[in-house]
Amino acid sequence: MQTIERELVAGTRWSRRRVSPGFLYVLPSLLFVVVFFLIPLAMVIWMSLHDWPLLGEPAYTGLDNYAALLGDSTFWDGLWFTTKYTILVTPPIFICAYILAHLVNSKMRWVGLFRTIYFLPVVIGLGTSSLLWVWLFNDQVGFFSFILSHLGVIKEPVLTTPNTSLAGVIVMVVWKTVGFTMVLLLVGMQAIPTELYEAAKIDGATWWPIQFFITIPLLRRTIALALIISVVGSFLAFDQFFIMTGGGPNNSTVTVVYWIYRASFTYFKLGYGSALSLLLMVILTAISVLQLVVLREPETY
Amino acid sequence: MKKYIVPVLFAIVAGVSARAEDIITFWVRDSDQAIVDPLVKAYNARGGTNVKLSVIPAMQFVTKFATSIAGGSPPDVVAIDLIYVPAFSKAGQMTDLTVQAKALPFFDKLSPSHIRLAAYEGKLYAVPFSAEASVLVYNTDLFTKAGLDSKHPPANFAEIEQDAQKITSLGADTKGFYFSGSCAGCNVFTMLPLVWASGGDILSEDGKTATVDNNAVRSTLSLYRKMWEAGYIPQAAQGDNGTNFFTGFATGKVGMAGLGAFAIGLLKEKYPNIHFDVAPLPGQNGGSASFAGGDSIGIPKGSKKVKEAWEFIQWCLQDDTQVNEFAKHGSIPVRTDIAESAYAKLDPRYVVVAKAMATGKTPYSTKYNELLNDPNGPWLGMVQTAVFGKGVDEAVKEAQEKFTKILGAK
Amino acid sequence: MVRVARKSGGKVYKIAALYGVCCGIAFLFVLPLFWSFITSLKKPADANASPPNLLPSTLTLENYTRLLHYGDGIFNYFGNSLVVAMLTVIGVVFLSTLAGYGFSRFSFPGKNVLFVMILITLMIPFQSILTPLFLVLRTLSLQNTLVGLSLVNTTFQLPFSVFMMRNSFESVPRDLDNAAAIDGCDSKALLTRVLLPIVLPGVITVGLFAFVASWNEFLAALIFLTDADKYTLPIMLLNAQSGYLGTVDWGLMQAGIFISVLPCAILFLLLQRYYISALIAGSIK
C-alpha cells in the first residue's frame, strides 16, 4: 500500500490537490449513499414533524403525528400482528432449516442436487412467490385448497379467516426462505471439526445429546446471524400480506410496513407515514441490539 | 462508432417527439375495460390524435393516479370513479372544465349525480363518462322452483328474508342471497341503497358529519346478519374481496344479489343459461333506492394536451358515441335525454336500471376513499363486524367513532 | 465378522431412509413450481377449471402466446425488468468494486468512519425511507422511470456489495501490488489489470445478488413506477391477478410466473457456488 501511495504522490496531479485517490474510488458509492439514503433519512425526521399531503403543501405541526400515532389503534394492532407473525414464523424456519442442513451435510451422492432444490425457492422473489401461493390457496382453482378441503382440514377458503390466512402465509414464507437459513447453518456445520463428533460417539452419545451439546453451541454465531437476518426480514414483511391477504380479513393481517405504505400512498399522508417509518427504525434497531446482546457468544472452548 | 451517436440520438428524439404530438394517455379502471377497449379503438380509427389506453386494477387506481400526479407524470385524460372527484378537485389536481362543459348543448341533460360530484366550490372539474346504478338481480328459475312469483321480486326486507329462506330450502348448495363480504365498494354500491330506501344515511348531505348511528343502518345490517346466521348466504361470501362480486350470482345457485347494469350484459353474453330479472333495491318497508355510480372523466393538472384531451371527452359525450359505443356495450349513457330511448330497444331490463340511476344517490365526500372504499376502512369494518362478528350495535358504535375521527381530521 | 455384517446392514437402511426423506422433501419443495408450470401449459378454460384438474387434457402454449398481447406484451415487461436489473448490476459492480478497492488499498482520513457509514444502511431497510425517497426521486425527475428504480436498487445493494468487494481485495496479498508497482503500474492499472481478474469471483457474486434482488423487487417498483408500460414483471403479474368480476386468467398468470422465475433460476443453477460463497463470507463477519 505504501508503495502505491508514494508512487501516486510522486507521479500524479492529485498530490497537488492532496485528495487521496482512495477517497476518489470510494466517492461514487458515498454519493449514492448520501443522496438515496442519508438525505432521505434526515427527511424522514423532518417530514414526520409536518402534515405533508401527497398532493398539496406541507404544514409544520410539530409532534402532532406522534400524538396521533399513540392513539392509532390500527397501527398498534399492526405492530402486535407483526410481532406475532415474526414469533410464529421464525421457529418453523429454523427447525426446518436445521433439519435440512443436517440432511445435506452428508457425503452421499446427489446431496448437491438436494441442496439446490431446497435453495431454489429463495431466488424466486417474495412477490412472485406470493402470487404463486395465492393461486395455490385459491378456493376455486387452487391445488392446495383442493387437497386440504378433501382431507377435511379446512372448511372455508384458506385466505379468508385470520388464523388460516396467517398459517397459509407462514407456510409460503417457510417454503421460500428455509433454503437460505439452511445454507447459513450448513456452512457453520461444516466448520465444526469432525473429531468432536468422533469423540462424542466413542463416549456413547446418541443423536440428540450430540446436537444439544456440540452442534448447536458451536453454531451459536451462525444461528445468531441467521436469526437477526430472519427476524428483521419478518418484521419488514409486506409483499406477502399485500398480495395474499390484502391486509384482511378485516385488517387482521396488516403489518407495520403495510401500514406505512397505506398511510403514505393510500391516505396520502406523507408526514404521518414518516413518523411511522421513524418508529419502525427505532424498533428494528432495538430488536437487533437486543438480539446481539442476548446471543453474544460466551468465551468457550 | 462515435460519429453515429448524434444522428441516431437526433432520430430518436425526433421520432419520440413526433409520436408524442399524436398521443394522449388515458387511464381507466379495469371495471370499465369492456366498454373502453372498443371505445378507444373507434376513436383511434378516426385518425388524428391517438389515445393510448392504460387499464389499472380498481383497487390500486387511486394510489397509482395520485402518485403519478405527485410524481409529475399524470395521464392526459383520466376516467375516475365519480366518488373520488371531490377529493381530487379539492386537492387542486384536476383542470377546471366549467367553461367547456357548460358550452355543451346537452349540458343540462348530463347525469345529475355525476355533475354534483364533479363540482367543487362552484367550479366543474369533470364530466360524466360512464354510468352505473345498483339494482337487485334475481334468478327467475330459482324463484319459480321455490314457489315464488318471478314477477314479484321482494319489495321490502321481510320479503327479502322470506324469499332467501325459500330458495335456500331448495337445498343442494342453493342459497338465497349473495354479497361480497370483504369488498368495501361492492357494499357501498348494493347495501347502502337499502339504508337509503329505509330512510337513513351514513353521511350528512354535505358529507361533513357521520350519521351512522340510525335505525335504517341498524335494520339493514340486521337483515344481512340474520341471513348470514341462517345460512342463506354461501360461506365463501365472507372472504370475497370483490373478485366474485359478479360470479357469486353467476354460479346459478344464488337467488338474489345486488349488482349493476354491467351484470345484465355480462349475464346475457356469458351465462345465457341463467334466467334473471332486475328490480330496484328495496327499503325496510318498501320504497327503493339506488347508488348512482360510474366514472367521471377529467383532465389532470399537469397534462400538456388539454385541448386534445377535451376533444376526446367531447367525442365520448356525443349522441352517436353514446348510443353506438356505450349503450351497445351495456353501459348506461350518461345523458338522461338518450338513456331510456337507447335502452328501450336493447332490453327492457335496462330501463329499470336507467330509471334507478335517474333517481339514484351518490355520497359526496372528500374523504370517500378512506371512509367508504378502503378495504381497511370503517365502512367495511362495520359491515364485517355487524354481519360476521361481534354484532350490529358494536359495529355501529365503532363505525360512528371512526367515521367522525376521519371526518374531523384535515 | 458378525459385528461388521450387522453394521453394514444397518447402514444400508440408514442410507436408504436418508435418501427417501430427502427425496420426499425435495418433491414437496418442487411441487408448487411444478403445478404452476403444468397449469401454464393447459388450455385457458382448463386452467380456470374448478375444482382443478391435475393434468392438462391437452398441452398447449396458448398461455404463453397470449402473454404477448397482455397489456403492452410480455416482452415489454420482461424488457423493463431486464433493464432495471442490468442497470442495477452495472451500477453495483462498478461502484462497489471501486469502493472495495479504495477501502482496501488506500488510507485516507475518515476511512473507517465512511466504511461504517456505508454499512449502516444494512441496518436500516429501505422500507422505512420510502416516503422521502419518493420525494427525492421526484426532485431529480426520476420518479416513474426505470433509471430511478435502478438507482434505488443499487443504493440498497451497496453495503453488502462494498463489504464483499473489500473482503475480496483484502484477501489478495499485497506482494502483488508491490510487484506490479515495480513494473510501473499506477493505481488504475493495478486495479484493472492485476487485481480485477483475481477478485472476479467476488464481482460475479456481487453482480448475481444485485441481479436477483433487483429482478424480484416488488415494493419499490410498486411505488416508483406509475406508468403501466413501465411496469416490471412482478407488478404486471400483480395486475393480472386482480382480475375483475372473477375473470382472473389463471393459465396466463402461471405462464407469467414461469417467465418471471426462469432467469433467476437459470442464473442460480449456473452460478450456485458464487451464491454460497457470499453466504460464507457473510457468516465470517
Side-chain angles (χ1 to χ4, degrees):
Chain A
M1 206 176 359
Q2 307 290 44
T3 326
I4 306 179
E5 279 221 33
R6 235 174 265 146
E7 184 209 68
L8 289 164
V9 164
T12 69
R13 266 183 287 150
W14 301 124
S15 60
R16 266 174 255 153
R17 300 208 202 160
R18 262 184 265 140
V19 173
S20 164
F23 183 70
L24 290 175
Y25 280 107
V26 167
L27 193 58
S29 297
L30 273 182
L31 267 170
F32 265 71
V33 168
V34 166
V35 171
F36 292 107
F37 181 78
L38 292 177
I39 290 185
L41 189 57
M43 283 173 74
V44 162
I45 304 174
W46 176 243
M47 286 171 74
S48 69
L49 301 173
H50 290 69
D51 171 11
W52 200 303
L54 183 64
L55 304 171
E57 294 307 311
Y60 183 78
T61 56
L63 295 172
D64 280 3
N65 284 327
Y66 292 99
L69 205 158
L70 288 175
D72 187 350
S73 61
T74 322
F75 169 70
W76 293 106
D77 289 340
L79 183 58
W80 164 237
F81 172 72
T82 311
T83 312
K84 186 168 93 170
Y85 164 71
T86 306
I87 294 178
L88 286 177
V89 82
T90 314
I93 292 182
F94 273 78
I95 295 175
C96 292
Y98 191 77
I99 296 175
L100 288 178
H102 261 292
L103 286 177
V104 300
N105 191 21
S106 54
K107 291 189 192 25
M108 59 176 181
R109 277 193 305 168
W110 293 337
V111 77
L113 176 67
F114 289 124
R115 194 186 59 213
T116 305
I117 291 182
Y118 302 151
F119 195 87
L120 193 57
V122 175
V123 299
I124 285 182
L126 202 49
T128 311
S129 176
S130 303
L131 288 162
L132 172 64
W133 283 74
V134 137
W135 168 68
L136 286 172
F137 281 131
N138 179 285
D139 53 316
Q140 307 272 325
V141 300
F143 280 109
F144 274 145
S145 285
F146 181 63
I147 293 178
L148 287 173
S149 59
H150 265 255
L151 291 177
V153 174
I154 56 167
K155 296 185 200 56
E156 291 152 14
V158 172
L159 296 172
T160 58
T161 50
N163 289 333
T164 52
S165 48
L166 182 57
V169 170
I170 288 180
V171 167
M172 185 279 282
V173 171
V174 171
W175 175 78
K176 193 212 164 299
T177 60
V178 75
F180 183 80
T181 308
M182 171 193 82
V183 169
L184 278 180
L185 292 177
L186 182 65
V187 164
M189 276 180 193
Q190 289 181 336
I192 298 179
T194 45
E195 297 88 54
L196 285 172
Y197 289 123
E198 312 275 307
K201 284 213 196 102
I202 291 177
D203 283 349
T206 51
W207 192 83
W208 181 235
I210 290 185
Q211 300 310 310
F212 202 65
F213 292 108
I214 299 185
T215 319
I216 295 184
L218 287 176
L219 279 180
R220 204 186 168 105
R221 216 160 151 219
T222 314
I223 293 182
L225 174 71
L227 202 57
I228 291 186
I229 295 178
S230 176
V231 165
V232 169
S234 300
F235 217 79
L236 293 172
F238 172 79
D239 303 12
Q240 57 270 47
F241 292 105
F242 184 76
I243 294 177
M244 290 178 82
T245 64
N250 202 11
N251 274 349
S252 57
T253 59
V254 176
T255 59
V256 177
V257 174
Y258 198 160
W259 189 239
I260 293 178
Y261 170 78
R262 281 179 50 205
S264 294
F265 297 101
T266 310
Y267 301 145
F268 308 136
K269 296 205 197 115
L270 298 185
Y272 190 60
S274 300
L276 294 174
S277 304
L278 202 53
L279 188 60
L280 174 66
M281 275 191 264
V282 167
I283 294 177
L284 275 177
T285 314
I287 293 182
S288 301
V289 165
L290 191 69
Q291 283 187 96
L292 279 173
V293 163
V294 165
L295 296 167
R296 190 159 20 170
E297 196 170 293
E299 305 302 314
T300 55
Y301 69 111
Chain B
M1 251 305 255
K2 286 211 172 129
K3 60 178 175 156
Y4 289 116
I5 293 189
V6 169
V8 166
L9 278 178
F10 184 75
I12 295 178
V13 169
V16 166
S17 49
R19 274 179 39 226
E21 292 307 339
D22 294 317
I23 299 185
I24 50 171
T25 48
F26 179 35
W27 286 18
V28 297
R29 49 178 179 143
D30 53 5
S31 19
D32 285 343
Q33 190 161 15
I35 13 156
V36 177
D37 270 341
L39 182 75
V40 167
K41 277 209 185 80
Y43 188 75
N44 289 340
R46 285 162 75 251
T49 320
N50 240 326
V51 172
K52 182 164 175 348
L53 179 66
S54 282
V55 177
I56 319 267
M59 279 206 289
Q60 291 172 36
F61 193 87
V62 176
T63 299
K64 277 256 141 54
F65 180 52
T67 312
S68 76
I69 300 179
S73 50
D76 294 307
V77 191
V78 66
I80 188 169
D81 195 331
L82 81 171
I83 53 181
Y84 294 129
V85 182
F88 283 100
S89 310
K90 177 169 168 205
Q93 299 307 319
M94 302 296 285
T95 313
D96 182 359
L97 296 173
T98 322
V99 172
Q100 294 102 313
K102 293 214 165 125
L104 294 167
F106 41 78
F107 174 68
D108 43 355
K109 296 289 192 298
L110 289 172
S111 157
S113 256
H114 286 75
I115 296 291
R116 185 174 137 251
L117 260 72
Y120 184 73
E121 291 186 349
K123 301 216 177 83
L124 219 53
Y125 292 94
V127 288
F129 177 68
S130 65
E132 253 303 352
S134 52
V135 287
L136 186 70
V137 179
Y138 62 99
N139 188 321
T140 46
D141 287 340
L142 287 180
F143 259 59
T144 320
K145 260 214 302 217
L148 297 163
D149 180 1
S150 64
K151 291 270 180 274
H152 185 96
N156 57 51
F157 285 7
E159 286 181 22
I160 295 184
E161 218 185 315
Q162 275 165 24
D163 295 352
Q165 188 255 324
K166 293 229 171 82
I167 298 181
T168 312
S169 55
L170 287 174
D173 277 344
T174 321
K175 299 284 181 190
F177 193 80
Y178 189 85
F179 78 112
S180 296
S182 287
C183 170
C186 316
N187 291 315
V188 177
F189 192 55
T190 58
M191 196 195 284
L192 191 50
L194 291 158
V195 174
W196 291 333
S198 309
D201 202 344
I202 49 173
L203 286 177
S204 59
E205 181 75 30
D206 60 3
K208 299 217 166 95
T209 323
T211 58
V212 180
D213 196 343
N214 67 60
N215 283 331
V217 172
R218 284 167 191 275
S219 34
T220 309
L221 290 172
S222 300
L223 170 68
Y224 272 62
R225 187 184 178 87
K226 270 190 255 163
M227 290 199 289
W228 170 254
E229 288 184 327
Y232 304 157
I233 305 179
Q235 284 289 316
Q238 184 178 5
D240 179 12
N241 66 355
T243 320
N244 293 328
F245 178 51
F246 169 73
T247 45
F249 178 80
T251 53
K253 293 194 168 201
V254 164
M256 303 175 274
L259 287 169
F262 69 86
I264 302 182
L266 266 175
L267 282 169
K268 282 168 63 172
E269 196 186 305
K270 297 225 161 102
Y271 299 88
N273 302 330
I274 300 187
H275 301 126
F276 68 98
D277 206 341
V278 300
L281 290 162
Q284 185 176 16
N285 303 315
S288 71
S290 175
F291 183 102
D295 287 7
S296 290
I297 189 169
I299 307 178
K301 268 246 171 75
S303 159
K304 303 187 180 64
K305 310 247 172 69
V306 178
K307 185 164 142 296
E308 290 88 343
W310 179 253
E311 267 171 31
F312 174 62
I313 296 180
Q314 206 171 1
W315 177 83
C316 289
L317 292 172
Q318 275 167 218
D319 287 34
D320 46 329
T321 318
Q322 290 282 303
V323 173
N324 294 330
E325 296 299 332
F326 286 88
K328 195 161 97 173
H329 293 111
S331 172
I332 319 176
V334 293
R335 288 182 40 190
T336 53
D337 50 343
I338 348 180
E340 280 186 44
S341 55
Y343 276 107
K345 307 180 204 130
L346 283 176
D347 189 315
R349 288 173 286 204
Y350 279 117
V351 180
V352 175
V353 185
K355 285 212 175 88
M357 194 196 92
T359 55
K361 262 174 92 145
T362 322
Y364 183 101
S365 172
T366 53
K367 300 245 164 97
Y368 196 101
N369 196 31
E370 250 179 278
L371 288 170
L372 297 170
N373 256 13
D374 186 0
N376 308 101
W379 162 256
L380 184 61
M382 177 175 77
V383 170
Q384 292 193 316
T385 310
V387 179
F388 309 120
K390 300 195 198 118
V392 176
D393 289 321
E394 182 77 36
V396 171
K397 202 167 80 116
E398 251 178 55
Q400 175 74 19
E401 273 169 28
K402 290 204 173 124
F403 266 69
T404 312
K405 192 151 154 235
I406 293 179
L407 288 167
K410 191 167 99 69
Chain C
M1 217 150 94
V2 173
R3 243 192 299 157
V4 166
R6 215 189 312 152
K7 209 169 166 196
S8 48
K11 239 178 164 202
V12 166
Y13 278 132
K14 257 184 149 175
I15 292 188
L18 201 58
Y19 265 111
V21 169
C22 279
C23 281
I25 297 183
F27 176 70
L28 286 178
F29 265 77
V30 169
L31 206 52
L33 295 167
F34 170 72
W35 264 329
S36 170
F37 181 60
I38 283 279
T39 307
S40 72
L41 295 175
K42 288 183 182 170
K43 281 191 150 313
D46 194 7
N48 276 20
S50 167
N53 308 315
L54 177 59
L55 292 172
S57 38
T58 45
L59 286 175
T60 165
L61 288 177
E62 213 179 303
N63 292 314
Y64 291 93
T65 48
R66 283 189 312 129
L67 272 180
L68 293 173
H69 303 294
Y70 179 78
D72 290 296
I74 187 75
F75 281 128
N76 178 48
Y77 302 111
F78 191 88
N80 291 339
S81 278
L82 196 60
V83 165
V84 173
M86 288 319 295
L87 285 178
T88 307
V89 167
I90 293 174
V92 169
V93 162
F94 187 67
L95 291 174
S96 63
T97 307
L98 290 182
Y101 181 54
F103 279 122
S104 169
R105 290 301 198 256
F106 296 84
S107 71
F108 45 91
K111 174 168 106 160
N112 287 331
V113 170
L114 292 177
F115 188 60
V116 169
M117 202 167 84
I118 294 187
L119 285 193
I120 288 274
T121 56
L122 265 175
M123 285 261 57
I124 301 177
F126 96 97
Q127 287 93 331
S128 47
I129 50 172
L130 270 179
T131 318
L133 257 182
F134 174 79
L135 294 180
V136 167
L137 281 182
R138 178 178 73 173
T139 315
L140 297 172
S141 294
L142 288 174
Q143 161 62 14
N144 195 28
T145 59
L146 297 181
V147 172
L149 184 60
S150 313
L151 293 178
V152 170
N153 286 345
T154 304
T155 309
F156 288 91
Q157 283 297 113
L158 273 182
F160 166 75
S161 309
V162 168
F163 175 75
M164 281 290 305
M165 289 317 297
R166 193 197 76 145
N167 276 9
S168 300
F169 280 108
E170 287 288 294
S171 60
V172 179
R174 300 274 194 271
D175 313 329
L176 256 121
D177 299 22
N178 296 336
I182 292 173
D183 281 348
C185 267
D186 65 352
S187 71
K188 254 194 1 206
L190 174 62
L191 172 63
T192 50
R193 291 212 211 108
V194 179
L195 294 178
L196 199 53
I198 304 180
V199 297
L200 201 55
V203 171
I204 295 181
T205 308
V206 156
L208 179 61
F209 265 76
F211 184 88
V212 173
S214 170
W215 185 266
N216 291 326
E217 178 53 50
F218 179 76
L219 180 53
L222 182 68
I223 296 179
F224 298 135
L225 294 174
T226 48
D227 274 347
D229 56 359
K230 296 204 176 87
Y231 287 166
T232 53
L233 280 173
I235 309 298
M236 176 213 101
L237 283 175
L238 175 72
N239 285 357
Q241 189 239 335
S242 314
Y244 189 70
L245 300 179
T247 52
V248 179
D249 192 332
W250 295 108
L252 188 87
M253 272 223 70
Q254 303 317 311
I257 289 181
F258 180 71
I259 295 199
S260 279
V261 167
L262 203 55
C264 288
I266 292 181
L267 274 178
F268 167 66
L269 290 173
L270 291 178
L271 300 172
Q272 260 185 81
R273 58 199 178 102
Y274 295 102
Y275 225 97
I276 312 292
S277 78
L279 298 182
I280 295 178
S283 316
I284 297 180
K285 168 184 96 145

